[in-house]
Amino acid sequence: MAAEDADLTPADGKPIGRRIVLGMAGVGAVAVVLGKQLTSMTSNAVGAVAPQIQSVIPATGGFRIYTVTNGYPEMTTAAYRLKITSGADVTTLTFDDLAALPQTSMTKDFQCVTGWRVDNVAWSGVLLSDIIDKFGLSANGTALSFTSFDGAYTESLTMEQAMRPDVLVATSMLGGPISQEHGGPVRLVVAPMYAYKSIKWLDGIEATPTVEPGYWEVRGYDVDAWVGKSNGRSDAPVV
Ligand SMILES: Nc1nc2c(c(=O)[nH]1)N[C@H]1C(S)=C(S)[C@@H](COP(=O)(O)O)O[C@H]1N2
Ligand SMILES: [Mo]
């Protein structure tokens, strides 16, 4: 499956392009939608690009599936590892290790900065604050950096943001495992912020001295991506 970068720099200097890849099982549709037209075009773009495969695009319940690489990285729960770096201490957790930690559930709206939103998404997993406490991360930095096993996407939070009770290292979504395209087996969910903070295919958490802006943030999006209070489009229609 091929996709092309759609980064643009509009008049306000903030690159707002992004790439959307929709596809499954050897049949892919690639919609490259530019800048401000993204919100209004996403639904139609699929039909416009490849009308014949519309019927095989999975019903994702209102979610758009995003990736900044060519496709979705694959990982079994057995092979999964989460590397936690807290100063000189490096700990590697398996999926079972995560499952053995206290489990927390939350149901929150999931809002992309481009305007689409899915209401009442059920997540469960381990509170990031529990991981911070268990591994002493706040003694070793003022922020956290997150990496993905897609090898490209990164994210960050201040320690204060990361301690919130609505920030989860999620191992379950909508009552089941997190699917490959939604970032399984483990993704971050930062419920109070636009979904670009919710890094998929999470494989690393590290305490850092300062906030290191993530993938979209070095491309112009706000580091503090509070829904309705950042450079997102909370006023945009849900498409
Ligand atoms: N690794 C990775 N995480 C990511 C992204 C991505 O492209 N790669 N996109 C982000 C954006 S912009 C959104 S809106 C959500 C989309 O989540 P979904 O693909 O499960 O709908 O994932 C976020 N996390
Ligand atoms: Mo997004």
Side-chain angles (χ1 to χ4, degrees), residues 174-192:
L174 299 170
I178 301 177
S179 65
Q180 184 181 351
E181 67 267 26
H182 280 303
V186 179
R187 79 178 293 169
L188 190 68
V189 178
V190 183

Side-chain angles (χ1 to χ4, degrees), residues 27 46-47 49-56:
V27 185
V46 175
V49 171
Q52 73 280 8
I53 60 90
Q54 251 192 109
S55 59
V56 302

